[in-house]
Amino acid sequence: MTDTLSSQLIHPAATEDATWWRHAVIYQIYPRSWADGDGDGVGDLPGVTQRLPYLQALGVDAVWLSPFYRSPQADAGYDVADYRDIDPLFGTLEDADALVAKAHELGLKVIVDLVPNHSSDEHPWFQAALAAGPGSRERNRYIFRDGRGPDGSEPPNDWHSVFGGQGWTRVTEADGTPGQWYLHLFDVKQPDFNWDNAEVREEFEAILRFWLDRGIDGFRVDVAHGLVKEAGLPNYDAELHILDGEVRPGAPMPPMWDQDGVHEVYRSWRKVLDSYGKPDRILCAEAWVRPQERAVRYVRPDEMHQAFNFDFLQAQWRAEDLREVIDSSLKAADSVGAPSTWVLSNHDVVRHASRLGLPVGQRRPNGISAQDPQPDRELGLRRARAATLLMLGLPGSAYIYQGEELGLPDSTDLEAQYRQDPTFLRSNGEEVGRDGCRVPIPWKKDAPSFGFGPSGQTWLPQPPIYGEYAVDQQDGVDGSTLELYRQVLRLRRERALGSGGLQLLEGLPDDVVALLNTGRGERTLLLTNLGEEPVRLPPGAEVLVASGPLTGEDEVPTDTTVWAAV
Ligand code: NOJ
C-alpha cells in the first residue's frame, strides 16, 4: 500500500553513527519506589543496583534516577540540602558509586537529577542567609526582598507558588523582628536561588564536575526554564501550573519562566560537559515551555542535548492531534538539529495507563482520588500499549517511567492521610497531587509489599490490584505488557527506528495515524487505529508486533498499534 498512498517526509534519517543520546531509550527510576533493599519501606540505591539486570534484559540504554541527595524530603528529594551527598534514606556515596559501576558493567548509562532552581531551606547556604541578615552576601544567593506596605507585611509581589498559596514567605530576623521575604516558586521549604549571583553559577558548575568525575553520563535538569527571573520581578497574578506550560493566548510571558537569560547558563554547562570528551555526557531539560519553537531553544547545538517533549505527553487520544504533535515536534527539533525526546509518563503526571482511560478531550488531571470519576482500566491499558508502541517507533530518544512496562495504573483511591505531595497539602486537598503515580512497584504477587522489599512496609500503600501487574505475573507470559515492551525495544534497536527518517502516510481514514520509519534502510509501517472500524493492513505487510490482538490476519482493531515490515 505504501506505494499507492501519498507520503510526506516529516523528518530525515540520522546518520548511521549518530551518537547514543540521539536515539536512546532511558528508564526513569524514582528511587523511593522502585526497589527497597533494606526493608524500611522506602526504595534505596542498593535495591536499585540489585535489580539493574532486569533493565538490561528489558533492553533500555540508560537509567535516569530522580534525586537521591541529602534532603529533608519536603518534596520527595527535590529539596536538596547537600548536592554532594546521598540521603541516608537511600544509602551512601559508596552505594552510588557501586550503582554506577554495576550499570556500566551491564552497558547501561546513568543520568542523575540536578535541581538548580531551588535548594532546601535546610541547605547550609540558606541557613547562613537567614543568620546573616538583609543586604548580606549570604542573602544575595537567594531571592530576598523587603515586603510592601508601610510595615513590609505584604509580599514583595503577587506571585503564587506552583504548589498553591503565595510564592513568598516572611522570615524572622535574628533580633526577633518580622523581616524580609524570600521567593519560593515551589514549597516554602524550597527557596529559589538567585541566578544573577556569580557564586551560585560557580557552585553549580562545581556540582556538575563532582558528579561527572564520579562517572555519571548526564543530568536531567529540574525546572530548567525557571532559573532566571525577569528583572524587577514584575507582578503576575495568575495561578502557576508548572506541569502545563500553558500561557493564555494574548497573556504576557510569565516573568518567572523561560526568560532569555537562562540560555547562557546552559551554554556554560555544555562547555563543562564537552570538556569530558567522548562518549558524550548529556543534559536533558525539564522545561514546560510552549510553543515548541521556544522549547527547542533549550536544545540548540551549544546548549542541552535533550528536552522532554511534553506536548506529546499532553496530546489528546485523537489521530489528528497525534499526527499534528509528531509532525510539529520533529520539525521544531530538526530546526535546531536536536532529537525529539518522547515521553508519556513520569513521577509528576497521572500514568498514561490511567490517563488514557479517562474521557477524551478533558483537561489532564493533577492526580485522581476516590471522589473523582475513575479511569476505565481496561480501555486505559489498551490505549497505553498502543500509545507506547507508537512512541517507541518514532525517531529520537524516549523516556519510560518505572512500572509503565507493567501497564501499571495510578493508585486512584489513596486516602488523604497517606498523601505526601506538597501540592495536596498546600492546596488543602483541592489539587489531588502526584502520589498516585509514585506508589512502590510490584515485583512478586505473593510476597509482602509485592516484592518491593524484604518487609511488608511501603511508604505509600499499594492497591491490592497491583499484585496482578507484578513482574512475576508477566515475565515469560505471551502478550503481557512486560513482554511487549521487551519485544518492542529489541525490534526498535534491530531496525534502528530511533535514527530513522519518518514519512507521514496520507489517504487512510482520518482516525488512523500511519507513518513509515526508514531506520537502517528497512521500511517499518507504524499504524495506530483510533477509529471504531478495523483497518486492513496493506497486502504483503508483515506484522512485526502489535499492541493487542488483530482481528483476522490483517485487520487492526480500534486503539491498537501495529509495526509491520513493508
Ligand atoms: C519538577 C519535578 O519533576 C517535580 O517532582 C518537583 O516537585 C518540581 N520540579 C520542583 O522541584
Side-chain angles (χ1 to χ4, degrees):
M1 108 175 141
T2 50
D3 302 327
T4 59
L5 292 172
S6 58
S7 69
Q8 204 197 108
L9 181 70
I10 55 175
H11 170 75
T15 55
E16 284 278 321
D17 58 351
T19 176
W20 69 274
W21 50 268
R22 291 187 167 272
H23 47 77
V25 177
I26 301 175
Y27 185 95
Q28 180 188 356
I29 294 181
Y30 194 62
R32 50 173 49 234
S33 296
W34 200 56
D36 178 13
D38 62 10
D40 67 353
V42 182
D44 47 45
L45 299 187
V48 171
T49 306
Q50 265 171 33
R51 287 187 163 152
L52 284 174
Y54 166 83
L55 294 181
Q56 186 194 38
L58 182 63
V60 298
D61 302 291
V63 296
W64 150 37
L65 295 139
S66 281
F68 44 48
Y69 311 105
R70 206 172 263 279
S71 157
Q73 306 291 325
D75 182 21
Y78 282 95
D79 48 319
V80 180
D82 184 347
Y83 290 86
R84 295 179 179 81
D85 201 5
I86 308 294
D87 197 275
L89 203 54
F90 300 123
T92 61
L93 267 181
E94 289 67 44
D95 293 331
D97 291 342
L99 188 160
V100 174
K102 181 71 186 175
H104 285 168
E105 189 188 311
L106 296 173
L108 298 167
K109 298 196 184 285
V110 180
I111 292 168
V112 300
D113 218 307
L114 187 74
V115 191
N117 180 67
H118 45 263
S119 69
S120 161
D121 65 335
E122 297 181 32
H123 189 286
W125 274 14
F126 192 74
Q127 288 300 313
L130 290 181
S136 59
R137 168 181 170 188
E138 287 82 356
R139 283 225 171 155
N140 191 39
R141 294 172 183 147
Y142 292 89
I143 304 181
F144 278 87
R145 294 286 184 277
D146 293 333
R148 287 179 299 179
D151 55 357
S153 63
E154 300 282 317
N157 71 17
D158 58 6
W159 293 5
H160 298 254
S161 151
V162 173
F163 293 155
Q166 61 187 25
W168 296 89
T169 291
R170 193 169 196 186
V171 303
T172 304
E173 302 299 355
D175 62 3
T177 56
Q180 288 192 301
W181 298 72
Y182 67 90
L183 177 70
H184 52 87
L185 289 179
F186 294 88
D187 192 67
V188 55
K189 287 183 69 62
Q190 292 168 296
D192 281 52
F193 279 116
N194 170 16
W195 275 86
D196 291 332
N197 181 312
E199 270 189 279
V200 171
R201 293 189 183 222
E202 278 158 28
E203 173 65 358
F204 271 90
E205 291 197 9
I207 293 166
L208 290 177
R209 288 183 195 282
F210 177 87
W211 289 100
L212 291 166
D213 289 342
R214 297 193 100 84
I216 62 99
D217 303 287
F219 302 90
R220 174 267 188 190
V221 180
D222 191 62
V223 201
H225 58 313
L227 275 49
V228 172
K229 279 78 179 172
E230 189 176 325
L233 309 181
N235 278 336
Y236 187 77
D237 182 19
E239 282 201 25
L240 299 183
H241 285 284
I242 192 190
L243 310 179
D244 190 334
E246 194 74 81
V247 180
R248 279 170 287 116
M253 284 299 289
M256 66 292 286
W257 304 139
D258 195 31
Q259 300 298 305
D260 285 346
V262 82
H263 295 283
E264 199 185 308
V265 175
Y266 304 131
R267 283 192 200 106
S268 70
W269 290 9
R270 179 64 178 253
K271 289 195 187 111
V272 174
L273 269 80
D274 283 352
S275 73
Y276 282 76
K278 296 278 171 195
D280 294 342
R281 318 273 187 116
I282 68 162
L283 296 165
C284 175
E286 188 227 16
W288 293 83
V289 169
R290 277 194 175 137
Q292 295 262 7
E293 289 66 35
R294 279 202 75 89
V296 298
R297 297 166 85 233
Y298 290 75
V299 286
R300 288 178 287 193
D302 58 349
E303 297 193 37
M304 301 216 200
H305 302 75
Q306 303 180 330
F308 291 114
N309 180 348
F310 291 128
D311 277 5
F312 181 67
L313 182 152
Q314 311 218 68
Q316 293 286 343
W317 189 244
R318 285 190 288 243
E320 197 189 337
D321 295 37
L322 293 170
R323 276 193 299 266
E324 204 288 312
V325 73
I326 291 170
D327 184 23
S328 61
S329 306
L330 287 168
K331 285 189 178 136
D334 284 342
S335 73
V336 293
S340 183
T341 298
W342 312 98
V343 59
L344 285 165
S345 283
N346 66 30
H347 65 292
D348 288 328
V349 300
V350 172
R351 289 175 172 279
H352 64 292
S354 295
R355 207 168 64 226
L356 296 174
L358 293 169
V360 175
Q362 73 173 38
R363 193 186 153 86
R364 186 170 58 79
N366 182 5
I368 299 173
S369 80
Q371 284 72 50
D372 296 320
Q374 296 295 295
D376 177 332
R377 255 206 298 152
E378 206 180 306
L379 178 71
L381 180 56
R382 184 183 175 96
R383 289 184 172 167
R385 289 167 55 121
T388 297
L389 234 68
L390 176 62
M391 172 176 89
L392 291 174
L394 299 174
S397 177
Y399 279 68
I400 294 177
Y401 178 48
Q402 64 178 34
E404 68 166 82
E405 79 280 16
L406 306 175
L408 209 62
D410 260 38
S411 169
T412 57
D413 58 0
L414 207 56
E415 287 169 33
Q417 72 192 91
Y418 297 115
R419 295 204 176 267
Q420 300 197 20
D421 182 353
T423 314
F424 179 76
L425 307 169
R426 284 184 64 88
S427 70
N428 294 322
E430 254 173 56
E431 295 269 346
V432 178
R434 304 160 293 175
D435 294 302
C437 65
R438 299 176 171 180
V439 171
I441 296 297
W443 294 84
K444 286 190 190 136
K445 183 165 188 246
D446 296 315
S449 69
F450 295 132
F452 166 59
S455 77
Q457 282 185 52
T458 56
W459 70 279
L460 285 175
Q462 297 164 302
I465 52 152
Y466 267 30
E468 291 168 31
Y469 295 86
V471 173
D472 73 341
Q473 299 301 294
Q474 303 199 32
D475 190 19
V477 176
D478 235 16
S480 72
T481 305
L482 177 58
E483 291 302 338
L484 178 69
Y485 268 70
R486 287 176 176 161
Q487 187 187 1
V488 163
L489 289 170
R490 181 175 51 72
L491 282 166
R492 175 182 158 96
R493 191 179 294 237
E494 279 170 14
R495 300 179 77 83
L497 300 183
S499 353
L502 200 70
Q503 293 168 33
L504 187 63
L505 300 177
E506 287 154 346
L508 284 158
D510 269 358
D511 35 24
V512 171
V513 178
L515 300 156
L516 190 68
N517 185 317
T518 55
R520 197 163 288 151
E522 290 166 324
R523 290 154 54 90
T524 309
L525 169 69
L526 317 171
L527 188 146
T528 305
N529 182 10
L530 292 93
E532 279 170 26
E533 295 303 317
V535 176
R536 173 148 290 156
L537 287 169
E542 187 197 321
V543 175
L544 300 165
V545 61
S547 65
L550 301 189
T551 31
E553 277 208 350
D554 61 353
E555 279 191 351
V556 184
T558 186
D559 294 331
T560 303
T561 298
V562 166
W563 290 5
V566 288

